[in-house]
Amino acid sequence: MISGLDHIALAVNDLDGAVDAYGRMLGLAPNWIGGDGGARHAWFQLPNMALDIIAPHGEGAFGDTIRAHLAAHGEGLWALAFTTPDIEAAQALLARRGLPGTKPHPVRSTHDDGRKRYWTTVSLDRAATGGLNILLTAPPRDGAPWPLSEATSPGPVTRLDHVVVHTANPDRALAIYGAKLGLDLRLDRSNENWGVRQLFFHCADTVVEVGASLKRPVSDDPDGFGGLAWRVADIEAAHARLSSAGFDINGLKTGRKPGTKVFTVRSGVPGGPALIIQQGERP
């Protein structure tokens, strides 16, 4: 039903400023800037997903939706969109599983140079998704994959490693992401030293990591987006590049997962801190 992570949408007030910040952090150039419906957006296309940065612009229903989100929550992750090869069948199956959504509807984006893109999407009911904005997205209407963003500097990000979701109810998360969306639960672990229970759901070659505090009681409070972890092939080059660019970063260290090296971009991009990770062979 779900074949991968299509894109992650980020709501911001200043599109140009956010594109500049993410372009410098990712070491990539956006491959699409345009919009419709009262909003403009920039699209960074990576091999396993895309980052869609959206800001209100003019009048329109979509822009009003983004404005309302910014007023209520501020800048940050707005939506998680999963790819499905048959969006009508997926929408019907999820409705039977207790995840109702809108009917599939077309989306259009007009590039600043006049080119147009079209795709189809479904918005799932937030009351059933734990409070998060989760979308289903069909492949591009013309069947051709969108071109990858080009690297602009050494040590660029090569793909998204994982997205973090915070939940107050891990059993609810297991039902939503595992039983209903059908993602592959690879690991369920609790660590008293870290004070957290972590659920790792694989979605093609991306991971949705759901974290729950062991220090707070389970509740029906809504879930929230926790952040993004970006993978690089040369973490030393990425660290040097971001340091010279003036980002607030910490030092390189060994990651929790065996064989990994990580550092954190603590500020400088909308949406909160970002983890930069280099995967390695297990010892």
Side-chain angles (χ1 to χ4, degrees), residues 77 163-166 224-228 271 273:
L77 296 182
V163 55
V164 178
V165 172
H166 294 314
F225 288 118
L228 302 173

Side-chain angles (χ1 to χ4, degrees), residues 15 22 55 91-92 103 133 136 140 158 162 168 191 203 220 252 255 272:
L15 182 66
Y22 269 95
Q91 187 268 344
K103 294 293 184 182
N133 187 20
L136 302 179
T158 58
H162 62 274
N191 190 303
C203 181
D220 292 327
L252 287 172

Side-chain angles (χ1 to χ4, degrees), residues 18-188:
V19 170
D20 175 69
Y22 269 95
R24 290 185 295 110
M25 189 197 78
L26 299 174
L28 301 171
N31 73 343
W32 188 272
I33 298 181
D36 274 308
R40 293 187 75 240
H41 71 137
W43 193 271
F44 290 86
Q45 184 66 53
L46 286 86
N48 65 337
M49 53 77 70
L51 176 66
D52 187 19
I53 304 176
I54 310 169
H57 182 78
E59 297 182 356
F62 184 43
D64 291 342
T65 297
I66 300 300
R67 286 188 187 91
H69 175 85
L70 289 167
H73 306 286
E75 294 185 318
L77 296 182
W78 174 67
L80 192 62
F82 293 103
T83 305
T84 179
D86 188 337
I87 198 166
E88 289 83 5
Q91 187 268 344
L93 176 59
L94 288 178
R96 293 197 298 271
R97 290 180 176 178
L99 279 182
T102 61
K103 294 293 184 182
H105 56 276
V107 177
R108 182 186 71 186
S109 174
T110 303
H111 193 281
D112 288 347
D113 65 10
R115 289 177 291 153
K116 298 183 186 300
R117 281 181 173 179
Y118 301 89
W119 63 95
T120 302
T121 190
V122 165
S123 299
L124 299 181
D125 184 355
R126 288 194 186 196
T129 63
L132 294 186
N133 187 20
I134 297 179
L135 313 175
L136 302 179
T137 302
R141 195 170 74 177
D142 62 7
W146 291 328
L148 298 178
S149 289
E150 295 182 357
T152 58
S153 55
V157 163
T158 58
R159 62 185 56 234
L160 182 76
D161 191 83
H162 62 274
V163 55
V164 178
V165 172
H166 294 314
T167 186
N169 192 327
D171 288 340
R172 181 182 65 193
L174 283 167
I176 293 169
Y177 294 96
K180 296 181 181 183
L181 288 174
L183 303 188
D184 181 10
L185 177 65
R186 294 289 184 90
L187 181 62
D188 178 353

